[in-house]
């Protein structure tokens, strides 16, 4: 049976969830943050799962209206401050990925604080992808390596990325079948699950069902059974 050691999720559908109930889009983000908390706690209690990587804000999401972007920044700040004791209680290490230099100094400080204060936790590793784009990540990695005299190997590039571990199971909620610039290198052999459920409605039971299906897939990695 496969183990879903590294699960990555494209948490999509917050805005539509809110609009369906005649609420403002930002209400959907608020509700979505509660689901992040539930899913993280569930994963921290599942010994098979070592890493959970969640797409929270993409390099393309800056194109959204200013007020929505500002709301997301404030929500992230609030979320991290409130969650620090929860991370510690559940032995979760917070390892953000993405280029956070684009964020305000105060938000960068909060992100770094939570990262440092949970650095000793050795249960689940939760990575939030923040101002993350896989193409940007790959370019930054190549720039780190370009002065190296040796030619670049797969292992060297993999190590220079923000997210250094391959994904076993990738889930996208919200009904679309695309990757939207998420972990393009790391999903090379991931099993992909696209579900119609909007992220604020996604439950631990939904995750359990997907994991159950995942465990039964025959993963060949190009070889033969
Ligand atoms: C995902 O939900 C959250 C972020 C991208 C920040 P969306 O905000 O994309 O919700 P939809 O896809 O418009 O419903
Ligand atoms: C992907 O969702 C980004 C996050 C979930 C953070 P988007 O809603 O931004 O993706 P597109 O625009 O539908 O591809
Ligand atoms: Mg979306």
């Amino acid at each position: 049976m496969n183990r879903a050691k590294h699960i990555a999720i494209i948490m999509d559908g917050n805005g539509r969830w809110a609009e369906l109930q005649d609420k403002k889009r930002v209400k959907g983000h608020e509700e979505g943050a509660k689901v992040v908390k539930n899913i993280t706690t569930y994963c921290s209690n599942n010994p098979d799962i070592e890493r959970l990587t969640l797409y929270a804000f993409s390099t393309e999401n800056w194109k959204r209206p200013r007020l929505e972007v500002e709301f997301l920044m404030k929500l992230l700040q609030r979320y991290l401050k409130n969650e620090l004791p929860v991370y510690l209680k559940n032995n979760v290490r917070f390892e953000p990925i993405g280029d956070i230099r684009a964020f305000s100094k105060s938000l960068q400080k909060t992100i770094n604080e939570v990262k440092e204060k949970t650095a000793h936790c050795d249960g689940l590793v939760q990575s939030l992808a923040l101002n993350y784009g896989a193409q940007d990540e790959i370019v930054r990695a190549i720039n780190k390596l370009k002065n190296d005299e040796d030619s670049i190997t797969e292992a060297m590039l993999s190590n220079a990325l923000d997210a250094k571990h391959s994904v076993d199971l990738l889930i996208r909620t919200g009904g679309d079948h695309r990757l939207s610039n998420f972990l393009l290198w790391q999903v090379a052999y991931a099993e992909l699950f696209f579900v119609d459920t909007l992220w604020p409605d996604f439950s631990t039971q939904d995750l359990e069902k997907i994991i159950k299906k995942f465990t039964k897939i025959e993963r060949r990695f190009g070889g033969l059974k």
Side-chain angles (χ1 to χ4, degrees), residues 34-50:
K34 295 182 194 160
V35 179
V36 171
K37 182 186 175 119
N38 286 345
I39 294 292
T40 303
T41 303
Y42 170 85
C43 291
S44 72
N45 288 318
N46 181 330
D48 282 341
I49 305 169
E50 295 171 5

Side-chain angles (χ1 to χ4, degrees), residues 27-214:
K27 271 277 158 217
H29 297 314
E30 239 164 30
E31 209 55 35
K34 295 182 194 160
V35 179
V36 171
K37 182 186 175 119
N38 286 345
I39 294 292
T40 303
T41 303
Y42 170 85
C43 291
S44 72
N45 288 318
N46 181 330
D48 282 341
I49 305 169
E50 295 171 5
R51 290 179 182 271
L52 174 67
T53 303
L54 303 170
Y55 208 2
F57 192 85
S58 76
T59 47
E60 285 72 37
N61 286 147
W62 297 105
K63 294 177 194 160
R64 296 192 177 198
R66 185 177 55 86
L67 284 178
E68 181 167 342
V69 171
E70 279 174 13
F71 182 90
L72 285 167
M73 297 299 136
K74 281 194 200 126
L75 178 64
L76 178 60
Q77 177 95 268
R78 182 154 40 99
Y79 178 83
L80 288 171
K81 284 195 168 145
N82 289 341
E83 282 317 283
L84 177 60
V86 184
Y87 282 114
L88 293 169
K89 181 170 140 265
N90 293 333
N91 195 24
V92 173
R93 187 159 84 237
F94 172 65
E95 281 184 2
I97 59 168
D99 190 353
I100 65 163
R101 292 171 300 179
F103 293 154
S104 71
K105 287 275 173 297
S106 118
L107 181 52
Q108 289 184 48
K109 188 164 168 253
T110 305
I111 293 167
N112 287 325
E113 258 170 33
V114 177
K115 185 179 166 183
E116 282 154 25
K117 288 187 173 153
T118 61
H120 65 282
C121 296
D122 60 1
L124 179 76
V125 179
Q126 187 228 46
S127 289
L128 292 184
L130 304 171
N131 188 30
Y132 175 89
Q135 293 178 339
D136 175 66
E137 176 192 38
I138 292 168
V139 170
R140 282 188 287 107
I142 292 170
N143 278 317
K144 277 188 222 163
L145 297 170
K146 75 175 180 205
N147 292 328
D148 219 294
E149 277 163 24
D150 302 326
S151 44
I152 298 172
T153 63
E154 285 185 18
M156 281 162 73
L157 182 55
S158 181
N159 234 334
L161 294 171
D162 301 344
K164 303 183 196 331
H165 299 266
S166 59
V167 172
D168 297 301
L169 168 58
L170 175 96
I171 300 165
R172 181 176 185 136
T173 62
D176 285 315
H177 296 201
R178 58 175 170 262
L179 296 175
S180 302
N181 202 11
F182 191 43
L183 300 175
L184 300 181
W185 173 277
Q186 299 86 345
V187 299
Y189 260 105
E191 303 299 332
L192 310 181
F193 283 74
F194 298 96
V195 296
D196 288 335
T197 314
L198 303 171
W199 177 250
D201 289 328
F202 191 73
S203 66
T204 54
Q205 287 86 341
D206 294 327
L207 178 59
E208 253 171 9
K209 268 189 226 153
I210 293 173
I211 293 175
K212 211 166 179 182
K213 282 192 198 155
F214 165 86

